Amino acid sequence: MNLFRTKSIEQSIADSGEKGRTLKRSLTTWDLMIMGVAVAVGAGIFSVGAQAAAFNAGPAVTVSFVLAAITCALAIMCYAEFATAIPVAGSAYVFTYATMGELLAWIIGWNLILELLMAGAVIAKFWGVYLSDLFAVLNLDVPSQVSVLGVTLYWGPLVIVAIFTAILVLGTKLSARVNNIFTIIKIAIVLFVIVVGFFYVNGENYAPFVPAAQPAAEAAGSWTTQPFLSFLSGATPAMYGFTGIISGAALVFFAFIGFDVVATSAEEVKDPQKTLPRGIFGGLALVTVLYILVTLAVTGMVSYRDLAATESPSLATAFQLVGADWAAGIISVGSLIGLTTVIMVLLMGLARVIFAMSRDGLMPRGLSRTSAKRSTPARTQILCGVVVALLAGFTEVELLAEMINIGTLSAFVTVSLGILVLRKKRPDLKPSFRVPFGKVIPILSALLCTYLMLNLATVTWVFFAIWLVIGFAIYFAYGQRHSRLAGTGAGEPDREEVRTGS
């Protein structure tokens, strides 16, 4: 049993041309940049900054966003070097397989499934909530949930997931065109809200920029809500001050999770050596600017103390506090459109990770079959849509929202360290993009991501441990024995290929 067998880069690239399991290269730099913006700029842009300002960092939440963006940028540099060296589907899973071995690759792939599955379900659930809010603004009495045989069904998520699953099955280029249109519309709405918001800014609300630290409200509550680092050290959780800025960065990091999803599309990109770095970094820069502008507007419109006095602060709350209630309707529309494209990109990323793991035999090989006409993994895409729709439609999946962050950060840590391994094992590789400053940035990226992970709630780590145990069980029960590297040869046909004669 070789748990650390690696798959060569040459074999990964060769497998991307396997008959019946090939994706079509159709995406451009513009498509990738818009894809990153699409998945990162959702309803969160109207809420996460206000929440972090109210309960974590005060006006210094802008610093939290900068720290989160820098952390993301460092990790994304590592993704870009990997993706230009190994331009195939699967992102961090494929990169880990080539450097650290099969077992760790499986766990990273399993964590990516956690990230994308939870994110897709949570965002779809919130889409249904914002749709209900929009109906309320329009004075339409449309319930967000119905009872089916005594079971509560949230119908909104089912509708939106079904629509975008169908679009993704029809083709990646069509999906990109739909994504581009929706993303341009939502950027326009965000810019409009920012501009209007700055007319209500009062400079006094920015003082003090870094409020004095004080015990966090959850300090007296359950250990489950404490940051894991506080739980381990016994320190009292704090809000505001330096600690608040860091915890705020851990919270708003959710805003930047989309860029690792972009890397999963490497096998569908034209000229990936040039297109991938440009598209990823262009999208990250635009998203960072938008988030900073939104937080400057919300913390300048009203005091962070007033935001903290509300139950669920958001940009809409800030407009209401300054008497501009009319903005609620625009923000509802912006949130709905914003979440729409997020769902589509997450569904695409989830299917591509499972597709890559299936092609290697760690999941049933049938899941890596692609449509002969459209070159999309139709059956896998449909399966992902069904699972996401069921989670969002029938469960309180939003309670596990922080699982998205821990899945992303664990992948970021592995990819950052994997760059060091790749350079040592394959000094002959000359990727078109290379992370500067030698070992400094990969190591710094891994340390920052680990630190942010430790600032997530303790209960998140408990659920993460359970997820890992399930992942190990599946690997040893199925993946380890069915892996194409398990002695049968990476080129041996599977039963389905023999049966169909392909």
Side-chain angles (χ1 to χ4, degrees):
M1 182 185 298
N2 184 0
L3 301 180
F4 301 101
R5 55 196 174 208
T6 58
K7 183 178 181 181
S8 71
I9 293 173
E10 290 77 11
Q11 187 61 56
S12 291
I13 295 174
D15 283 352
S16 68
E18 184 182 351
K19 184 179 180 181
R21 292 180 166 86
T22 302
L23 300 174
K24 183 178 180 181
R25 293 194 181 275
S26 60
L27 301 179
T28 64
T29 297
W30 171 257
D31 292 328
L32 284 188
M33 191 174 93
I34 293 299
M35 186 184 298
V37 175
V39 74
V41 178
I45 198 169
F46 299 115
S47 60
V48 71
Q51 292 171 9
F55 305 121
N56 296 95
V61 67
T62 53
V63 180
S64 297
F65 269 106
V66 171
L67 289 176
I70 291 173
T71 302
C72 183
L74 295 179
I76 290 304
M77 286 185 191
C78 300
Y79 270 85
E81 181 171 335
F82 260 126
T84 54
I86 319 175
V88 299
S91 184
Y93 157 74
V94 172
F95 308 154
T96 307
Y97 211 164
T99 54
M100 299 184 185
E102 185 173 279
L103 178 61
L104 191 55
W106 162 266
I107 290 302
I108 291 303
W110 186 242
N111 288 348
L112 286 174
I113 292 173
L114 168 68
E115 171 201 344
L116 299 170
L117 180 63
M118 289 293 105
V122 169
I123 298 299
K125 186 68 169 289
F126 284 139
W127 188 91
V129 172
Y130 281 104
L131 180 63
S132 298
D133 290 345
L134 180 60
F135 284 145
V137 169
L138 298 175
N139 294 317
L140 297 175
D141 184 18
V142 180
S144 61
Q145 59 194 58
V146 295
S147 179
V148 179
L149 301 176
V151 178
T152 300
L153 166 65
Y154 300 90
W155 60 270
L158 297 183
V159 172
I160 192 64
V161 170
I163 291 173
F164 281 109
T165 296
I167 292 175
L168 287 165
V169 167
L170 291 175
T172 303
K173 191 61 181 178
L174 172 62
S175 307
R177 289 172 181 166
V178 173
N179 181 50
N180 292 348
I181 294 171
F182 274 92
T183 302
I184 290 171
I185 292 173
K186 75 176 176 182
I187 289 175
I189 293 175
V190 170
L191 291 174
F192 173 77
V193 171
I194 290 171
V195 170
V196 174
F198 271 106
F199 280 101
Y200 293 94
V201 166
N202 179 354
E204 295 179 358
N205 290 325
Y206 292 125
F209 186 71
V210 182
Q214 64 185 61
E218 64 266 23
S222 169
W223 61 270
T224 59
T225 59
Q226 291 186 18
F228 191 49
L229 189 60
S230 297
F231 174 76
L232 292 176
S233 64
T236 301
M239 59 196 298
Y240 309 131
F242 174 76
T243 302
I245 292 175
I246 298 300
S247 60
L251 173 64
V252 303
F253 188 80
F254 177 81
F256 297 98
I257 67 165
F259 295 96
D260 62 318
V261 180
V262 176
T264 67
S265 64
E267 197 171 317
E268 297 164 271
V269 175
K270 297 178 181 178
D271 192 10
Q273 283 71 24
K274 294 181 180 179
T275 302
L276 275 163
R278 292 173 183 173
I280 291 174
F281 293 126
L284 178 61
L286 180 55
V287 165
T288 302
V289 170
L290 289 176
Y291 268 103
I292 289 176
L293 289 175
V294 167
T295 53
L296 285 173
V298 73
T299 54
M301 291 172 66
V302 294
S303 169
Y304 71 93
R305 301 181 188 87
D306 294 334
L307 290 172
T310 62
E311 182 178 353
S312 183
S314 65
L315 187 57
T317 306
F319 275 99
Q320 290 167 355
L321 290 174
V322 297
D325 293 338
W326 56 270
I330 295 177
I331 291 173
S332 293
V333 173
S335 298
L336 199 63
I337 294 176
L339 288 180
T340 300
T341 55
V342 176
I343 295 168
M344 185 174 72
V345 177
L346 291 172
L347 286 170
M348 175 182 172
L350 177 60
R352 296 315 181 264
V353 171
I354 295 176
F355 166 83
M357 297 175 75
S358 167
R359 192 160 59 185
D360 291 333
L362 300 184
M363 287 188 171
R365 286 268 289 166
L367 295 176
S368 62
R369 301 292 298 181
T370 54
S371 164
K373 182 177 181 180
R374 300 182 175 87
S375 295
T376 58
R379 64 178 69 175
T380 302
Q381 196 68 70
I382 292 171
L383 174 64
C384 291
V386 170
V387 175
V388 169
L390 290 176
L391 279 174
F394 291 95
T395 72
E396 301 293 333
V397 70
E398 64 273 18
L399 299 178
L400 299 177
E402 268 201 3
M403 296 292 286
I404 303 166
N405 283 4
I406 201 167
T408 305
L409 287 166
S410 66
F412 277 17
V413 170
T414 307
V415 169
S416 300
L417 296 177
I419 282 294
L420 303 179
V421 179
L422 178 68
R423 291 176 179 176
K424 185 175 181 179
K425 292 180 64 175
R426 296 295 304 270
D428 58 304
L429 289 179
K430 304 295 180 184
S432 61
F433 177 84
R434 190 176 177 89
V435 181
F437 306 114
K439 300 178 180 179
V440 175
I441 287 181
I443 292 174
L444 183 59
S445 171
L447 291 174
L448 285 173
C449 290
T450 301
Y451 186 60
L452 289 182
M453 286 178 72
L454 292 173
N455 278 276
L456 295 172
T458 303
V459 69
T460 301
W461 280 85
V462 173
F463 283 124
F464 186 54
I466 295 172
W467 178 261
L468 290 179
V469 169
I470 296 172
F472 279 118
I474 294 175
Y475 174 75
F476 287 110
Y478 182 89
Q480 187 271 333
R481 293 185 296 109
H482 291 81
S483 167
R484 301 186 77 201
L485 297 186
T488 57
E492 182 177 322
D494 59 22
R495 295 173 183 171
E496 181 182 1
E497 289 169 336
V498 174
R499 186 170 60 251
T500 59
S502 60

